[in-house]
Amino acid sequence: MRLIRINKEKCTGCGICVQVCPLGSISIVEDIAVISESCTLCGACVSGCLSNTIEIVGKKEKINLSEYRGVLVFGEQKAGLVSPIVYELIGEGRKLADTLGEELSCVILGNDVKKQARDLISYGVDKVFIYDVPCLASFRDDPYTDILIDLVKKIKPNIFLIGGTSIGRSLSPRIASKLKTGLTADCTGLKIDPETKLLLQTRPAFGGNIMATIKCPNNRPQMATVRYKIMKRAEKIQGYCGEVINMKFDKEMIRDRVKVKEIIEEEANVNIIESQLIVSGGNGLGKPEGFKLIYELASCLDGVVGASRVAVDKEWISYYHQIGLSGKTVRPKVYIACGISGSVQHLAGMSRSDTIIAINNDPSAPIFNVADIGLVGDLYEIIPELIKEIKKNKHGINNP
Ligand SMILES: Cc1cc2nc3c(=O)[nH]c(=O)nc-3n(C[C@H](O)[C@H](O)[C@H](O)COP(=O)(O)OP(=O)(O)OC[C@H]3O[C@@H](n4cnc5c(N)ncnc54)[C@H](O)[C@@H]3O)c2cc1C
């Protein structure tokens, strides 16, 4: 058991610990530092304290890192269909496992998922663990968390990858905190450090202005979530051999504090992420009506409409359409940015598109640094001309 202790005799109430605590767990009460229950014993205050007043006592539980081997991927499914993000995690997981010389496994919870489990093997998975019972058909926080923690304790994976979906975002912090390990959310890059063999987890930080690389040296598994459309999808490998393992679990784990009344799917979400052609509008539209033009261009090309955050913040279009760091990540064949400057946060969501076309009246706009085709000029002059030409030829990119 570890405890944090403040020597009241020595504490000067200087407040440095309050400033360095990343969780806001310390306050100064009557000139003495007081630590609240939200403290995670990270130790930032211990090293920050100039008068050596704060100490962590007790032994830190040491885990045997060498017991942890292999890469595990959470095989998220909805209505029995494996989510597309899983194939991307498998593609990335396979590379990590090969670099480490370890196995790649996958876990699926659901009802009647044996066929899906067998199919995953053909993407290069060595083992698929399945929990196949009707009560796990749809995602539920408590049982899914407890079962996955139980699996991790049994198979001890070195790395655990989960999709940065709404399900993954609910599940991963619960699992990480109960296992007392680290979690890096929304990674854009994963690789193995050739010297330490640790997982290097890269993600945008400070509003996307820097890329941070995070390591988890002392705890296992090393956990990361990755958003959809960031990594390359795994290809089928003909004749790949793997094993499907039926897992048993304690019925106690089926407890649930939450009752799901109804699941409502948001079609708009799926369409934008999956679309091969996106026409996005930004602040350069100048007014909400500008989106009529964006919709018209998108419709001529059989595409869908995206937006920058400024356009969403101004309520010209709903959040469903937002592309970028705090919106959706997309990877269409063609992305047309209209009146969008190309901030790092917007690029974080679309720079992996195959072809980027930018329409902007400022030739020095950063969007032109990533654009394959740049049209400099007023979008209200360029887009109607484009629509006229496309209609004349009547062949959209999605409909050749
Ligand atoms: C933590 C954080 C998360 C964020 N997440 C996101 C995110 O997910 N997505 C996102 O988009 N942003 C995000 N942002 C905001 C981001 O920093 C920018 O503010 C935003 O992307 C700018 O939107 P914009 O390009 O539409 O607007 P602006 O930067 O105002 O650019 C408008 C562009 O339109 C051009 N223009 C003006 N009039 C015309 C015209 N008539 N014809 C042609 N061009 C014209 C201008 O030259 C300019 O380049 C985030 C910021 C932070 C701090």
Side-chain angles (χ1 to χ4, degrees):
M1 170 92 162
R2 297 176 82 214
L3 292 169
I4 191 155
R5 227 166 32 195
I6 292 182
N7 184 335
K8 289 187 184 166
E9 310 291 303
K10 279 166 92 186
C11 180
T12 58
C14 69
I16 291 177
C17 53
V18 177
Q19 288 164 29
V20 297
C21 174
L23 298 170
S25 303
I26 311 181
S27 51
I28 303 292
V29 180
E30 292 174 5
D31 288 339
I32 291 185
V34 176
I35 300 178
S36 76
E37 281 183 359
S38 60
C39 169
T40 58
L41 303 179
C42 73
C45 56
V46 178
S47 34
C49 178
L50 298 178
S51 50
N52 293 326
T53 301
I54 311 174
E55 60 170 346
I56 293 175
V57 289
K59 266 201 178 156
K60 192 173 177 181
E61 255 178 67
K62 255 204 149 181
I63 63 163
N64 183 355
L65 301 181
S66 63
E67 282 181 356
Y68 288 78
R69 287 185 65 78
V71 179
L72 176 66
V73 166
F74 173 56
E76 179 178 325
Q77 59 80 24
K78 270 188 185 171
L81 287 179
V82 174
S83 302
I85 177 75
V86 176
Y87 299 96
E88 296 182 6
L89 295 179
I90 288 174
E92 198 60 22
R94 185 69 267 167
K95 281 193 251 162
L96 299 173
D98 288 344
T99 310
L100 289 165
E102 297 178 2
E103 273 186 348
L104 172 67
S105 36
C106 195
V107 50
I108 309 189
L109 283 70
N111 182 32
D112 209 8
V113 289
K114 286 187 190 71
K115 190 179 159 293
Q116 289 84 333
R118 280 194 297 273
D119 184 56
L120 287 182
I121 287 174
S122 61
Y123 287 87
V125 179
D126 301 306
K127 280 182 188 152
V128 184
F129 299 95
I130 57 170
Y131 293 85
D132 199 352
V133 278
C135 61
L136 293 175
S138 305
F139 171 68
R140 288 150 62 205
D141 281 311
D142 287 332
Y144 270 53
T145 303
D146 289 349
I147 288 171
L148 289 171
I149 287 174
D150 190 54
L151 177 70
V152 167
K153 285 182 178 165
K154 279 180 180 138
I155 67 166
K156 293 192 169 26
N158 184 5
I159 293 170
F160 189 7
L161 305 179
I162 296 179
T165 59
S166 45
I167 289 179
R169 283 174 191 193
S170 180
L171 199 54
S172 49
R174 291 167 200 273
I175 297 174
S177 67
K178 285 196 179 174
L179 290 171
K180 293 194 169 54
T181 187
L183 167 69
T184 308
D186 289 344
C187 291
T188 53
L190 294 172
K191 66 175 187 190
I192 302 295
D193 184 333
E195 275 176 27
T196 60
K197 305 291 178 212
L198 286 171
L199 179 65
L200 302 177
Q201 307 161 68
T202 303
R203 58 150 297 152
F206 295 107
N209 290 303
I210 62 158
M211 297 304 279
T213 296
I214 296 162
K215 292 188 246 180
C216 177
N218 302 322
N219 298 295
R220 290 293 180 274
Q222 303 167 82
M223 285 184 66
T225 66
V226 180
R227 282 206 210 178
Y228 184 36
K229 295 274 176 183
I230 294 279
M231 306 297 183
K232 264 201 146 167
R233 195 185 148 96
E235 303 277 339
K236 277 209 173 199
I237 307 171
Q238 226 164 18
Y240 200 87
C241 289
E243 198 185 345
V244 175
I245 302 167
N246 276 296
M247 298 298 289
K248 295 203 171 25
F249 61 95
D250 189 343
K251 294 285 175 288
E252 283 285 294
M253 289 180 191
I254 299 295
R255 75 187 171 96
D256 207 351
R257 291 169 298 169
V258 178
K259 193 165 179 203
V260 179
K261 285 187 168 173
E262 195 184 354
I263 296 169
I264 302 164
E265 286 298 334
E266 288 165 343
E267 284 301 324
N269 254 344
V270 179
N271 287 346
I272 291 178
I273 295 178
E274 295 297 343
S275 179
Q276 293 303 320
L277 192 145
I278 300 175
V279 184
S280 277
N283 198 21
L285 291 172
K287 52 190 176 197
E289 297 76 36
F291 269 99
K292 280 192 191 146
L293 203 55
I294 302 294
Y295 270 102
E296 200 182 337
L297 179 58
S299 140
C300 287
L301 296 167
D302 296 330
V304 298
V305 170
S308 73
R309 176 157 155 183
V310 172
V312 171
D313 286 350
K314 289 189 171 174
E315 297 185 2
W316 296 349
I317 191 161
S318 75
Y319 172 71
Y320 287 140
H321 299 265
Q322 185 176 316
I323 311 289
L325 187 68
S326 48
K328 294 183 172 58
T329 306
V330 294
R331 207 173 188 164
K333 287 209 169 84
V334 180
Y335 187 88
I336 309 179
C338 310
I340 292 178
S341 57
S343 65
V344 279
Q345 294 88 1
H346 190 78
L347 299 186
M350 46 62 75
S351 60
R352 289 177 180 81
S353 307
D354 289 355
T355 302
I356 298 171
I357 302 172
I359 304 172
N360 198 303
N361 62 6
D362 174 6
S364 63
I367 191 77
F368 289 125
N369 297 336
V370 295
D372 300 284
I373 300 170
L375 303 174
V376 181
D378 185 345
L379 64 90
Y380 285 103
E381 288 171 14
I382 295 173
I383 298 178
E385 281 300 314
L386 280 178
I387 293 172
K388 214 158 73 186
E389 282 304 309
I390 294 162
K391 280 187 175 164
K392 228 194 281 169
N393 292 303
K394 206 59 204 120
H395 292 308
I397 293 174
N398 277 357
N399 187 18

